[in-house]
């Protein structure tokens, strides 16, 4: 099965959506400090698959989700024909960070936080019961604590709630590089427990002074992330419903980001023969 392939579209961006290579779009609302705008986000463009990716639900932060936020997200999904809704497997910061990747703190990897997080996800899923809900892991930046591994925490969430997994391969690579674990072993451990998967792909780079890997929507997708994409296709091809590239059109040469989405499709069509 070839997944739907397209771009994560932010309200302020103008990524070209009429490229014949793409047949999907993800509406990305990545500013939790900005009120939701209910309305049409994708103009008159039509896609085989549309998803709504939110940064509004503190799934691992305790406290009930705001009913007003849930209602607005549901209405945005309805007005844009979004089949799925996703949010982050983390806790919203009380003092937001400086970039989209810093809005969320990772969950403490403990059984009590796991139970609380699963309860939150089940509440959200019940509210969005006519649309599948996906969770996306966040960057740890060396801040993880608790007795569980990240892989075990994610597996338990997927098993207990039955939610989908929005697997950000660039974040996975960053966490693996920065925390010293094997990203391919992580995939092999978690993928069997996910029955439906969406993927995020974006660029990144190693910081020259610290050696830490940083995700960036304005850098090319590195070879390590392409390798993770190929491994995911080989292990979970039939489970992957959509692949979204997170791109900053102003930060990349147009040939680069158009070439990347073409490569995403070529590899999906020929996962065993693809080379990176």
């Amino acid at each position: 099965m070839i997944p739907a392939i397209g771009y994560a579209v932010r309200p302020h961006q103008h990524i070209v959506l009429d490229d014949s290579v793409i047949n999907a779009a993800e509406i990305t609302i990545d500013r939790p400090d900005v009120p939701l705008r209910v309305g049409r986000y994708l103009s008159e463009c039509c896609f085989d698959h549309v998803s709504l990716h939110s940064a509004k639900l503190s799934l691992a932060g305790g406290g009930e989700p705001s009913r007003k936020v849930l209602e607005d997200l549901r209405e945005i999904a309805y007005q844009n024909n979004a089949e799925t809704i996703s949010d982050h497997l983390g806790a919203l910061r009380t003092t937001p960070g400086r970039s989209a990747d810093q809005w969320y703190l990772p969950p403490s990897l403990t059984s009590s936080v796991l139970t609380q997080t699963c309860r939150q996800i089940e509440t959200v899923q019940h509210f969005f019961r006519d649309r599948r809900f996906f969770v996306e892991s966040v960057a740890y930046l060396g801040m993880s604590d608790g007795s569980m591994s990240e892989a075990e925490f994610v597996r338990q969430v997927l098993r207990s709630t039955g939610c989908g997994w929005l697997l950000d391969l660039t974040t996975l690579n960053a966490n693996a590089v920065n925390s010293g674990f094997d990203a391919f072993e992580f995939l092999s451990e978690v993928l069997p427990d996910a029955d439906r998967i969406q993927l995020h792909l974006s660029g990144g780079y190693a910081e020259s002074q610290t050696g830490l890997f940083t995700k960036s929507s304005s850098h090319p997708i590195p070879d390590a992330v392409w390798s993770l994409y190929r491994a995911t296709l080989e292990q979970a091809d039939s489970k992957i419903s959509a692949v979204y590239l997170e791109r900053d059109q102003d930060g990349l040469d147009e040939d680069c980001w158009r070439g990347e989405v073409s490569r995403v499709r070529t590899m999906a069509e020929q996962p065993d023969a693809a080379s990176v």
Side-chain angles (χ1 to χ4, degrees):
M1 181 185 76
I2 306 300
I5 295 170
Y7 290 107
V9 183
R10 293 171 176 83
H12 62 281
Q13 289 180 321
H14 301 285
I15 291 289
V16 176
L17 297 176
D18 60 356
D19 192 321
S20 61
V21 175
I22 69 172
N23 62 341
E26 178 192 78
I27 301 166
T28 302
I29 301 171
D30 60 359
R31 293 291 302 266
D33 59 335
V34 175
L36 285 168
R37 175 179 65 83
V38 176
R40 183 76 178 166
Y41 280 73
L42 298 176
S43 185
E44 300 304 316
C45 298
C46 295
F47 301 95
D48 294 339
H49 184 89
V50 176
S51 184
L52 172 60
H53 185 47
S54 162
K56 292 289 185 179
L57 304 174
S58 194
L59 298 174
E64 289 294 315
S66 162
R67 185 170 183 86
K68 178 65 164 61
V69 168
L70 291 174
E71 289 173 346
D72 285 349
L73 289 173
R74 184 171 61 186
E75 184 62 20
I76 292 169
Y78 174 78
Q79 292 196 22
N80 291 275
N81 298 316
E83 300 174 37
T84 58
I85 301 173
S86 60
D87 210 305
H88 302 76
L89 191 59
L92 274 170
R93 292 174 179 266
T94 54
T95 303
R98 292 173 297 174
S99 71
D101 294 331
Q102 296 175 327
W103 292 117
Y104 280 91
L105 291 169
S108 295
L109 303 177
T110 65
S111 57
S112 60
V113 172
L114 173 64
T115 299
Q116 169 188 286
T117 302
C118 290
R119 186 181 302 119
Q120 293 278 66
I121 293 171
E122 288 168 351
T123 298
V124 171
Q125 288 190 126
H126 179 73
F127 191 87
F128 297 140
R129 53 186 173 272
D130 58 340
R131 287 173 171 81
R132 188 71 186 269
F133 186 67
F134 288 70
V135 295
E136 178 188 34
S137 296
V138 299
Y140 273 75
L141 302 174
M143 295 183 292
S144 61
D145 60 2
S147 58
M148 305 171 69
S149 68
E150 182 191 1
E152 180 60 22
F153 190 93
V154 175
R155 288 178 65 196
Q156 293 291 350
V157 166
L158 297 174
R159 285 178 183 174
S160 299
T161 67
C163 67
W165 189 21
L166 175 53
L167 169 56
D168 188 316
L169 292 172
T170 308
T171 294
L172 171 58
N173 182 68
N175 286 344
V177 170
N178 298 340
S179 300
F181 65 85
D182 189 305
F184 294 94
E185 290 182 3
F186 184 99
L187 287 177
S188 297
E189 187 175 348
V190 180
L191 284 173
D193 289 294
D195 70 342
R196 205 62 172 162
I197 299 166
Q198 294 179 355
L199 299 179
H200 272 171
L201 290 169
S202 65
Y205 62 94
E207 295 182 1
S208 58
Q209 292 185 333
T210 64
L212 294 175
F213 185 87
T214 299
K215 178 179 172 179
S216 168
S217 60
S218 56
H219 283 73
I221 297 172
D223 288 346
V225 175
W226 285 118
S227 296
L228 289 172
Y229 177 54
R230 180 173 58 182
T232 306
L233 290 171
E234 291 171 348
Q235 296 180 51
D237 178 48
S238 62
K239 298 180 179 181
I240 303 170
S241 59
V243 182
Y244 296 110
L245 284 87
E246 296 181 290
R247 283 313 194 194
D248 183 348
Q249 184 177 346
D250 297 329
L252 284 170
D253 180 85
E254 182 175 337
D255 289 341
C256 177
W257 53 266
R258 284 186 182 273
E260 285 177 341
V261 76
S262 180
R263 186 177 183 183
V264 165
R265 178 166 293 282
T266 298
M267 291 178 69
E269 291 172 345
Q270 307 174 51
D272 296 330
S275 61
V276 297

